[in-house]
Amino acid sequence: MTRPGFHFSTRFKVRYAEIDGQKIVFNSRYLEYADYAVGEFWEWTGIGALGPVWTSAEFNVRHTEIDYLKPFRYGDEIEVFVRIERLGNSSMTHRFELCDPNAGSLNCVIEMVTVHVDLDSGRPVPIPPAVRAALEGLMTGARIDA
């Protein structure tokens, strides 16, 4: 399955432990799915090649919006499309589209804003220039060269 504006996706199946008494996925699991998908996204990008400038960057979740369009059920396959939607001075917004690749349906949309913070103060700080350049490249679909 492809989605306009997305260069990356990952797939997995709904497990029994993720459903409720109505036999649909618990609402909170959708954020876990986004967390899993963004981890796969970062690995796919090759951004780890930036070394310490990336590994020392700390992004904390600031805001999340979830639009539940259609529930997933036990055994459904989920394909999560991930992209960086926007970059601010210290913030980054990811968009996640959770689809059923077999039905061709869009089941859930998540927008998540993370903020680059200084761990000692807990305050937002600008995204380092090398990281910003890499993130801007990723927004166009370019992966990081090792």
Side-chain angles (χ1 to χ4, degrees), residues 47-122:
I47 200 163
L50 295 178
V53 71
W54 172 249
T55 57
S56 65
E58 182 63 41
F59 287 86
N60 291 184
V61 174
R62 170 67 176 89
H63 178 81
T64 303
E65 289 186 24
I66 304 173
D67 192 2
Y68 300 100
L69 304 169
K70 180 181 177 189
F72 285 106
R73 300 179 183 285
Y74 173 68
D76 284 351
E77 188 171 15
I78 300 174
E79 185 168 10
V80 183
F81 293 83
V82 182
R83 74 175 177 224
I84 299 170
E85 186 89 344
R86 287 183 295 279
L87 284 176
N89 183 46
S90 63
S91 67
M92 173 172 43
T93 302
H94 277 94
R95 182 176 179 90
F96 303 87
E97 293 190 2
L98 288 74
C99 301
D100 180 333
N102 298 310
S105 61
L106 173 62
N107 292 37
C108 181
V109 176
I110 300 173
E111 289 221 350
M112 183 178 294
V113 178
T114 58
V115 177
H116 183 249
V117 298
D118 173 76
L119 286 179
D120 292 331
S121 69

Side-chain angles (χ1 to χ4, degrees), residues 3 6 8 14 35 38 46 52 54-55 57 74 94 97-98 102 107 110 122-123 125 127 132 140 144:
R3 296 206 54 82
F6 290 88
F8 171 82
V14 174
D35 188 57
V38 80
W54 172 249
T55 57
Y74 173 68
H94 277 94
E97 293 190 2
L98 288 74
N102 298 310
N107 292 37
I110 300 173
R123 303 288 306 152
V125 293
I127 298 170
R132 173 176 292 286
T140 67
I144 313 299

